[in-house]
Amino acid sequence: MTTADLMGEAGFDDQVPFLARLEKQDREALLDLGRELRFRLRDVLLHQHEPSSYVLFVTHGWTKVTAAAVNGYVALLAVRGPGDIIGESAALTGRPRSATVTALEPVRAVAVERTRFTEFLSGSPAVSYALLGLTSDRMRAADQRRVEFAAMSVRERLAALLLELARTNARYTEAGVELLVPLTKQELAGSVGASREMVQRELKDLRSRGVVVTGRRALVIVRMDVLRRIARADG
């Protein structure tokens, strides 16, 4: 895995993974502290509410980060892939993990024990600063999303979410843009702050209009242009 692979074409924002923000020497020293773990499709890497004992650095494959609320909502919080750090918040605060992380495909990650990770940060201001920058970028992106979603209808929020997933974790096929994140309707509903029934109605409407094609935990976007119009103000 090279820095170029991690960086892609993005600038330094919430989409840039943690390891890509580090100098090669710091990155290698950090990864040398841990051990490699391998996960299969749908394996759970981290469980919500469990105590923190290590952080993970994803080196290959993609994962989804979800959180379950008391009322039954299960919301997609993020998609994390090569170069990303997961579990750092609980490691730094000592609190239980706030989300569940599940493999979307075979995943390899380096696990670094919590104490070794925090000790490394104490002796490396550059790495600490990079982690602070990542946290700030993620919080700013989350705040912006909340502000935008507050002014949107459920239909507009769903369209915006699908567009975001198409941008971050999808592949182009002859049929359209296939999302690589297998989401349940409950996860979609929790992500846009709506009921499962409302999301199901919106998806049914999008299917009838030929905008998307859905299957069991699968979704292909056929008309990206229509989703963009909906997200901007329902066309």
Side-chain angles (χ1 to χ4, degrees):
M1 180 177 57
T2 67
T3 301
D5 293 331
L6 296 173
M7 290 292 292
E9 299 178 354
F12 266 29
D13 58 20
D14 67 298
Q15 297 298 326
V16 179
F18 177 61
L19 294 180
R21 300 172 182 238
L22 305 182
E23 296 293 335
K24 180 180 179 182
Q25 181 178 354
D26 289 331
R27 182 167 60 250
E28 292 178 348
L30 183 56
L31 294 178
D32 284 344
L33 295 176
R35 67 190 189 280
E36 185 178 78
L37 301 178
R38 294 172 180 256
F39 302 91
R40 298 167 298 179
L41 170 68
R42 288 190 284 276
D43 277 354
V44 176
L45 287 68
L46 303 175
H47 291 267
Q48 186 176 1
H49 303 311
E50 72 179 358
S52 170
S53 57
Y54 57 85
V55 298
L56 290 174
F57 299 93
V58 181
T59 55
H60 294 82
W62 287 88
T63 67
K64 67 177 178 179
V65 184
T66 57
V70 177
N71 62 4
Y73 271 130
V74 179
L76 175 72
L77 302 182
V79 177
R80 303 291 184 220
D84 275 320
I85 180 175
I86 49 180
E88 76 284 357
S89 178
L92 293 174
T93 63
R95 297 172 182 170
R97 302 198 189 280
S98 59
T100 294
V101 182
T102 308
L104 295 173
E105 58 185 352
V107 168
R108 296 206 299 267
V110 174
V112 177
E113 292 181 0
R114 178 190 171 200
T115 54
R116 301 190 76 181
F117 175 63
T118 55
E119 288 173 359
F120 183 86
L121 291 179
S122 297
S124 179
V127 176
S128 298
Y129 183 78
L131 184 57
L132 179 62
L134 175 70
T135 302
S136 177
D137 288 341
R138 287 180 177 176
M139 290 179 62
R140 184 168 61 247
D143 288 344
Q144 181 180 355
R145 183 180 181 185
R146 280 194 291 269
V147 170
E148 292 174 347
F149 271 27
M152 290 179 171
S153 65
V154 172
R155 175 180 301 224
E156 292 161 2
R157 293 199 296 270
L158 179 60
L161 174 63
L162 296 180
L163 288 171
E164 181 180 346
L165 293 174
R167 179 173 61 89
T168 58
N169 203 254
R171 63 185 174 193
Y172 286 78
T173 68
E174 292 184 359
V177 182
E178 180 183 359
L179 302 187
L180 300 180
V181 186
L183 295 176
T184 65
K185 290 184 177 65
Q186 188 62 63
E187 288 172 340
L188 286 172
S191 301
V192 300
S195 68
R196 185 180 184 277
E197 292 71 25
M198 290 181 69
V199 167
Q200 193 162 345
R201 285 198 299 270
E202 295 297 343
L203 284 175
K204 181 179 179 181
D205 179 67
L206 291 175
R207 284 196 304 268
S208 68
R209 296 166 61 183
V211 180
V212 302
V213 175
T214 62
R216 187 176 181 274
R217 305 192 95 184
L219 190 147
V220 177
I221 301 172
V222 181
R223 296 289 306 276
M224 292 281 287
D225 58 322
V226 175
L227 282 185
R228 292 190 186 100
R229 290 199 298 271
I230 293 173
R232 285 171 186 152
D234 201 25

